[in-house]
Amino acid sequence: MIKNLMAILIVALLVVSCSGKNGANKSTFVYCSEGSPSGFNPQFLTDGPSHNAAAYPLFNRLVSFQTGSTNIIPSIAESWTVSQDQLTYTFNIRKGVKFHTTKYFKPTRQLDASDVVWSLNRMFKKDHPYNKVSGGIYEYWDGMGMSNIIKDIKQTDKYQVQIELHHPEAPLLANFAMAFTSILSREYGEKMLAAKTPEDFDRKPVGTGPFIFGSYQKDTMIRYTANKDYFKGAPKIKRMVFSIIPDPSVRTQKLVAGECHLATQPAPTDIAALKANKDITVLDGAGLNVAYLAMNTEKKPFDNIHVRRAINYALNRDSYIDPIYLGFANVAKNPMPPTIWGYNDNITPYEYNIQKAKEELKKAGLPNGFETTIWTLPVSRPYNPNGKKMGELMQEDLAKIGIKVELVTYDWPTYLKKAHAGEHSMIQMGWTGDNGDPDNFLYMLLSCEGAKAGSNYANWCNKDYDRQVIMAKRLNDPKKRANYYLEAQEVFKKEVPWITLFHSTVHRAMRNNVKGFKIHPLGNDIFTDISIE
């Protein structure tokens, strides 16, 4: 309690008053975040709070998405070419990119091709000195089957990298704009290895991004300073603070009180009042997201398709929209949002039907139901603003067919770690697209490779489904790829490893003196262009 009180006082002193009434501190931007990062090395990170706290402020990738769109633009690679057979990608590395100087590391050289090769090979090569450091589980890399796609990563010049593939991979360039391909400092890694403290490399980040890591007070606060040597130009704000506040109503209170400039994921119940506040601007946009309830198909009774179908019929999802989203969501019938090409609109969704649910339980040999657990999200996410409330509604619905549910939760990093290990029976999860490609939902979250890597929380492996999504990846023609994705969604709906829940509208609320912020279609909060008037 004392630690949290001190943290609040520190933030208040830093900001003074965001409203400007008492002389706003225009050089320090305070962001009210919904959760703690699960780490600071983007190679391991899959969740939104971690991407916002680490991947985008601290690091860069070969290519990036243009702010506010999914267009791919140069970043660390200033240009690239692709061979006619689509098997060789050659990236020309930008000169003059500087790694951060921090209190724990001072670089002696600028970024070159060796850093790119070293960074990517950490995930690719089992004999890389860092491959097993910090657990050695690379959920994106493994879940997307990158080691089966890539044949070789090599440096062909001081400022040139060549990546050879086993077969064409349509989403590859978009994948290299994703957080997990962030470029790290080989020099810093080698220094930490020599000091026999390689784990510090992942805990104390050194990147090339617009902000430099200062300090982290667990579950409370992260501090950054602007990178004046940033190759795209120094940020307009000199300092940034992440104030970690899981409760969305408390985030709203702090925003209104002027204790933060921007708050993520305001509670739906607060949106009308925020829109009426003359000092606040509320941004909203269609979320490239899906909320779902995954059933662990490696555990009984969820290995039985009739149990999975029973739960689909038993949940009255339409009744959840008003109490949880206040109407800012639509029921999902597919595992990806309808705004992505390849969406199968001909799928017939599962209806709410208690009688059919009971019949399916009888077919499973469980006419009286069973006891189980549902893990509920401990943080508000764009796709699920209130995991506990949703869990309570699910609990009530499942009780009607004899399924007795205990609700369980953990802090966010622990929740992710235990889910990755497959400890759950049923778990609330969701996904916001990383690159605008159907592959990012259908392969990453539901493939056999994803089940091995931990990104497929249903631990579901279906050969027919896998065949469809793998064929789609190897074609460049979107129309031909879409046909395979349509078939894959049919298999998913028949086998139901998830209950698809909702696609939600995303919201951000900010003080009117904040300029330059846009809602990113991929769900990330990026602060490079922000200024405070």
Side-chain angles (χ1 to χ4, degrees):
M1 179 68 74
I2 293 174
K3 182 175 76 172
N4 290 339
L5 180 60
M6 287 297 294
I8 292 168
L9 290 172
I10 292 168
V11 172
L13 288 169
L14 277 170
V15 179
V16 182
S17 169
C18 295
S19 67
K21 294 176 183 177
N22 299 320
N25 185 340
K26 296 180 181 180
S27 62
T28 299
F29 173 76
V30 180
Y31 171 69
C32 282
S33 172
E34 77 272 38
S36 300
S38 55
F40 287 96
N41 180 345
Q43 293 176 324
F44 298 105
L45 310 178
T46 60
D47 60 294
S50 298
H51 284 170
N52 292 340
Y56 295 101
L58 301 174
F59 294 93
N60 295 103
R61 291 138 290 280
L62 286 169
V63 294
S64 65
F65 296 111
Q66 187 175 26
T67 302
S69 80
T70 56
N71 296 330
I72 296 170
I73 59 174
S75 185
I76 282 174
E78 60 184 358
S79 64
W80 59 89
T81 58
V82 184
S83 63
Q84 190 170 358
D85 62 6
Q86 306 292 309
L87 295 178
T88 304
Y89 286 67
T90 303
F91 294 94
N92 300 307
I93 306 305
R94 188 184 303 272
K95 297 177 182 177
V97 177
K98 297 180 180 180
F99 283 105
H100 298 157
T101 295
T102 70
K103 56 189 175 184
Y104 46 86
F105 176 70
K106 184 175 181 180
T108 64
R109 62 169 181 81
Q110 297 178 356
L111 181 146
D112 62 31
S114 71
D115 296 293
V116 176
V117 174
W118 188 89
S119 298
L120 299 179
N121 274 343
R122 173 176 179 173
M123 299 177 283
F124 182 42
K125 299 288 188 182
K126 299 300 181 186
D127 60 354
H128 190 287
Y130 270 83
N131 182 261
K132 296 293 188 289
V133 172
S134 301
I137 297 171
Y138 306 100
E139 191 171 318
Y140 268 116
W141 183 275
D142 295 334
M144 296 166 70
M146 296 294 282
S147 292
N148 297 325
I149 296 164
I150 293 174
K151 183 178 181 181
D152 194 21
I153 303 170
K154 59 187 177 183
Q155 179 178 346
T156 50
D157 187 81
K158 185 175 183 180
Y159 292 100
Q160 190 176 82
V161 171
Q162 199 168 81
I163 299 177
E164 296 180 3
L165 309 184
H166 287 292
H167 51 73
E169 177 74 6
L172 189 79
L173 202 57
N175 292 346
F176 276 114
M178 290 168 57
F180 78 103
T181 65
S182 294
I183 306 307
L184 317 174
S185 167
R186 176 177 63 88
E187 181 187 14
Y188 177 44
E190 290 173 349
K191 179 182 176 182
M192 294 297 98
L193 198 65
K196 298 183 179 180
T197 57
E199 291 80 8
D200 281 355
F201 179 78
D202 297 322
R203 288 195 291 255
K204 300 177 179 179
V206 170
T208 57
F211 295 94
I212 300 170
F213 180 77
S215 63
Y216 174 42
Q217 188 176 354
K218 188 173 177 2
D219 298 332
T220 303
M221 185 182 304
I222 314 169
R223 300 175 187 275
Y224 310 81
T225 56
N227 179 8
K228 59 181 176 55
D229 295 321
Y230 185 46
F231 66 91
K232 291 186 177 182
K236 295 174 183 177
I237 51 176
K238 294 181 180 178
R239 289 174 295 276
M240 182 164 69
V241 173
F242 273 39
S243 181
I244 299 164
I245 305 169
D247 188 321
S249 296
V250 177
R251 291 197 299 273
T252 293
Q253 292 167 17
K254 289 185 175 297
L255 179 72
V256 171
E259 293 179 27
C260 58
H261 292 93
L262 191 150
T264 188
Q265 304 307 328
T269 50
D270 293 333
I271 289 172
L274 286 169
K275 286 184 175 181
N277 189 318
K278 63 181 177 60
D279 296 321
I280 305 294
T281 297
V282 177
L283 304 177
D284 55 55
L288 198 72
N289 62 44
V290 62
Y292 61 91
L293 181 72
M295 295 166 282
N296 190 340
T297 60
E298 289 188 339
K299 288 187 175 183
K300 290 185 178 300
F302 305 104
D303 58 339
N304 189 311
I305 192 171
H306 296 294
V307 170
R308 302 198 297 269
R309 288 175 178 171
I311 294 170
N312 263 275
Y313 283 125
L315 296 182
N316 186 6
R317 295 171 297 163
D318 284 322
S319 71
Y320 302 175
I321 293 177
D322 284 341
I324 294 175
Y325 297 90
L326 264 69
F328 296 115
N330 297 305
V331 172
K333 66 178 183 178
N334 290 327
M336 69 180 198
T339 48
I340 292 185
W341 59 271
Y343 180 84
N344 191 336
D345 203 27
N346 292 324
I347 294 282
T348 301
Y350 279 80
E351 61 180 316
Y352 171 57
N353 191 313
I354 291 294
Q355 186 56 42
K356 285 185 178 181
K358 290 180 177 179
E359 289 170 4
E360 291 291 340
L361 278 184
K362 286 180 182 177
K363 291 177 184 178
L366 295 165
N368 299 318
F370 56 93
E371 295 184 7
T372 188
T373 60
I374 291 177
W375 291 14
T376 62
L377 278 168
V379 295
S380 60
R381 300 298 297 128
Y383 42 75
N384 185 348
N386 193 333
K388 185 175 184 293
K389 178 65 175 176
M390 187 180 289
E392 290 167 351
L393 294 172
M394 290 175 169
Q395 188 180 48
E396 291 174 11
D397 282 345
L398 292 175
K400 296 172 187 175
I401 61 168
I403 299 177
K404 297 177 182 178
V405 172
E406 179 188 358
L407 302 181
V408 177
T409 197
Y410 304 92
D411 66 85
W412 185 229
T414 303
Y415 190 89
L416 293 173
K417 184 177 180 181
K418 285 179 169 289
H420 183 277
E423 296 181 21
H424 57 286
S425 293
M426 291 192 284
I427 185 170
Q428 293 176 0
M429 289 297 287
W431 192 256
T432 298
D434 293 293
N435 59 19
D437 195 287
D439 177 81
N440 186 242
F441 285 85
L442 300 184
Y443 189 86
M444 179 73 187
L445 303 181
L446 288 159
S447 67
C448 296
E449 199 74 49
K452 293 177 188 175
S455 56
N456 177 346
Y457 291 106
N459 290 308
W460 176 68
C461 177
N462 181 283
K463 290 183 179 179
D464 187 18
Y465 178 92
D466 246 38
R467 189 182 307 113
Q468 307 298 331
V469 292
I470 289 171
M471 288 298 297
K473 286 157 63 74
R474 297 184 181 177
L475 298 170
N476 281 317
D477 185 337
K479 290 184 179 179
K480 292 179 180 178
R481 292 182 69 202
N483 288 332
Y484 286 105
Y485 289 133
L486 295 176
E487 289 294 327
Q489 289 164 82
E490 293 282 358
V491 177
F492 169 88
K493 207 59 181 181
K494 178 183 176 183
E495 295 292 324
V496 289
W498 297 353
I499 289 85
T500 51
L501 295 173
F502 303 100
H503 307 298
S504 69
T505 302
V506 297
H507 296 92
R508 299 291 185 273
M510 63 186 186
R511 305 291 304 185
N512 287 340
N513 61 338
V514 175
K515 306 299 177 185
F517 177 80
K518 295 179 181 178
I519 286 187
H520 198 289
L522 302 178
N524 305 304
D525 289 341
I526 298 174
F527 310 108
T528 313
D529 300 324
I530 278 181
S531 63
I532 306 170
E533 291 186 351

